[in-house]
Amino acid sequence: MNWNDWEFIWKRQAPPVGAAADVAELAATFEAKRRRMERVLLVRDLSEAGAGVLVCVVLGIFWRKTGLEGWLMALAIAFTLGVVVVFCLERVRANRGRLGPEAPIAARIARQLDELRHMRRLHYNIIPWYLAPLGASWALVVIAALRAGARHAPSGHLMDLMRNPATAAFIIGYFVIVVPLTFWGAWYLNRRTVLKRIDPRIEELEKLQRELAPPP
Amino acid sequence: MRTPPELESLYCSWIGEHRGILARVARSFAGSAAEAQDIEQEMMLQLWISLPSFRGQSKPSTWIYRVCLNTALTWRRGDSRRLRHVESRADLGDIASASATPAESAGDREILEKLYEAIRAIPALDRALVLLLLDGVSYHEMSEVTGMTENHVGVALTRARRRLAELMKGTTDELE
């Protein structure tokens, strides 16, 4: 086999083929669904970033009032602020990629598919950018609170707190049940969103995109 | 200066006419089927964003190649910064089987898949030139797309073809 054979086979390859789709219905609802998704993302980014800032303020006040271990609290606030920054960057990204009103539906579909795939990546990778920093932040706050509590214990050791059954149950329950369950729940809900909402929408838009392109 | 409706109709007709370019470039630069789709979307978007800058000084296909290859090259450069995919990735061969027509034999598909694999294995600029050559683009147009002189294109292509032939050697021997 030589170059000419490869060239021949290359030129015979088929262009992407569209699957059957109810184009009229998809096109009619596209704009409404796109706007709804934009609204959902705006609410998500603002509420998550706002909640993050609020948590930081609360932690700051808590830190100031109780005089907890400074570096632990500072680290906890930094982790939470990191997540806030991610949501702010998401908003910047959404605004930068916005197409003008004159953009054709094909470009709008491409833009939305781009956005949905980005969301899909974010949802699938939620551990490193969302769950891990927030989990670390929670853990640091609890450790700071326990260390502050230990200071009031007779010997001043953290393990003294475990002698009180209620405190021991709270500490163990918190780390063994509450934290894993909360984070598993967040992870599960994200996976569910991808499978039930994002993936079907991507599929729908891909069909629409293929059908709208005139045959070559 | 084109009006928005003119831009829209131009965009739609070009996307329809040159969809194959987008698919081939995406597949040559992607590491997975999902990534190929991502690159294709990005190309479509970049084509729309860049459309007002099209002055008509080159053929539409040349301009489309330029935008698509720039997008694909930028995509690869930014790849390490992107979040890692953790979902199971569909094999790139799925694209071939999904888009295959009855006219394409199983052997053709296999060779095509091996050809894409070999193209993906060569350096990015060589890859771009090989794609253009396989699509029958002239040296003059290649120089317009890449910004290289025609002589340089010729030299780079000779090197790229040699590399590709080396990579394809074992494969085609197996198939023959």
Side-chain angles (χ1 to χ4, degrees):
Chain A
M1 270 206 159
N2 57 27
W3 180 267
N4 293 337
D5 297 322
W6 301 335
E7 205 172 352
F8 178 72
I9 293 169
W10 182 267
K11 285 185 177 150
R12 267 168 38 121
Q13 66 181 307
V17 182
D22 188 354
V23 186
E25 196 268 332
L26 288 173
T29 56
F30 169 75
E31 203 49 34
K33 283 186 180 174
R34 187 188 65 79
R35 282 209 201 98
R36 199 182 317 139
M37 189 183 117
E38 233 170 51
R39 267 199 307 274
V40 167
L41 290 181
L42 177 72
V43 169
R44 178 202 70 178
D45 293 344
L46 291 182
S47 59
E48 290 275 6
V53 170
L54 200 69
V55 167
C56 288
V57 171
V58 170
L59 288 180
I61 294 169
F62 189 56
W63 177 12
R64 209 180 144 85
K65 293 264 184 211
T66 57
L68 292 180
E69 308 275 344
W71 66 275
L72 286 176
M73 293 303 284
L75 213 57
I77 291 173
F79 277 131
T80 311
L81 276 179
V83 177
V84 171
V85 169
V86 173
F87 283 105
C88 292
L89 289 175
E90 278 299 294
R91 204 77 311 265
V92 172
R93 185 185 177 279
N95 286 333
R96 209 172 38 196
R98 190 164 290 150
L99 295 174
E102 74 288 354
I105 194 164
R108 285 176 183 281
I109 294 169
R111 168 83 191 102
Q112 209 188 354
L113 276 169
D114 211 32
E115 191 61 41
L116 284 164
R117 291 215 172 91
H118 172 73
M119 276 170 60
R120 191 172 195 273
R121 271 197 296 274
L122 281 183
H123 279 286
Y124 265 112
N125 292 283
I126 195 156
I127 295 173
W129 71 269
Y130 187 82
L131 295 182
L134 286 187
S137 178
W138 280 22
L140 287 169
V141 172
V142 172
I143 291 167
L146 290 176
R147 284 178 71 147
R151 250 187 270 146
H152 301 292
S155 67
H157 288 299
L158 196 62
M159 287 313 287
D160 281 348
L161 291 174
M162 298 298 275
R163 295 213 178 98
N164 180 340
T167 316
F170 169 77
I171 294 169
I172 293 167
Y174 180 79
F175 282 106
V176 176
I177 301 167
V178 178
V179 174
L181 210 64
T182 308
F183 285 90
W184 178 81
W187 177 85
Y188 175 77
L189 285 175
N190 274 278
R191 271 293 152 110
R192 212 178 122 86
T193 307
V194 171
L195 293 175
K196 299 264 173 194
R197 293 171 67 178
I198 298 178
D199 279 353
R201 183 71 181 142
I202 288 177
E203 208 174 300
E204 200 177 83
L205 286 176
E206 279 173 350
K207 277 181 189 170
L208 178 60
Q209 192 178 52
R210 285 191 292 254
E211 294 282 331
L212 285 178
Chain B
M1 188 75 180
R2 292 185 182 88
T3 59
E6 280 172 349
L7 283 174
E8 183 170 344
S9 73
L10 197 64
Y11 177 81
C12 291
S13 70
W14 283 3
I15 287 291
E17 201 179 329
H18 301 289
R19 192 68 195 266
I21 294 178
L22 277 73
R24 290 193 292 274
V25 173
R27 200 173 156 194
S28 305
F29 280 82
S32 68
E35 198 181 11
Q37 287 173 333
D38 282 357
I39 298 177
E40 210 176 317
Q41 294 310 321
E42 187 69 22
M43 284 173 188
M44 290 180 76
L45 204 59
Q46 289 305 324
L47 282 172
W48 169 251
I49 292 166
S50 318
L51 193 56
S53 68
F54 178 70
R55 300 268 168 264
Q57 287 161 346
S58 56
K59 275 165 61 179
S61 60
T62 309
W63 181 80
I64 288 169
Y65 266 119
R66 194 185 305 157
V67 174
C68 289
L69 287 171
N70 280 340
T71 308
L73 289 165
T74 317
W75 179 275
R76 290 308 288 178
R77 274 201 292 272
D79 209 22
S80 57
R81 292 197 300 273
R82 280 173 205 283
L83 288 168
R84 187 170 48 90
H85 282 255
V86 291
E87 74 268 41
S88 61
R89 297 174 143 203
D91 188 59
L92 271 164
D94 291 352
I95 299 179
S97 40
S99 63
T101 57
E104 285 179 27
S105 67
D108 279 5
R109 273 204 301 278
E110 202 175 335
I111 294 167
L112 199 59
E113 186 44 42
K114 298 288 179 193
L115 192 56
Y116 271 112
E117 257 175 46
I119 289 171
R120 282 193 291 270
I122 61 176
L125 189 62
D126 290 355
R127 201 180 311 166
L129 290 172
V130 164
L131 273 178
L132 293 167
L133 189 67
L134 283 168
D135 276 342
V137 175
S138 71
Y139 277 27
H140 176 70
E141 285 173 279
M142 281 188 211
S143 74
E144 277 184 11
V145 171
T146 58
M148 295 156 77
T149 62
E150 281 183 48
N151 282 343
H152 192 179
V153 166
V155 173
L157 261 178
T158 311
R159 187 187 57 207
R161 281 176 65 166
R162 200 181 308 131
R163 275 186 187 163
L164 197 73
E166 277 166 21
L167 289 165
M168 288 294 287
K169 197 171 181 291
T171 308
T172 45
D173 287 350
E174 266 171 39
L175 291 167
E176 280 169 348

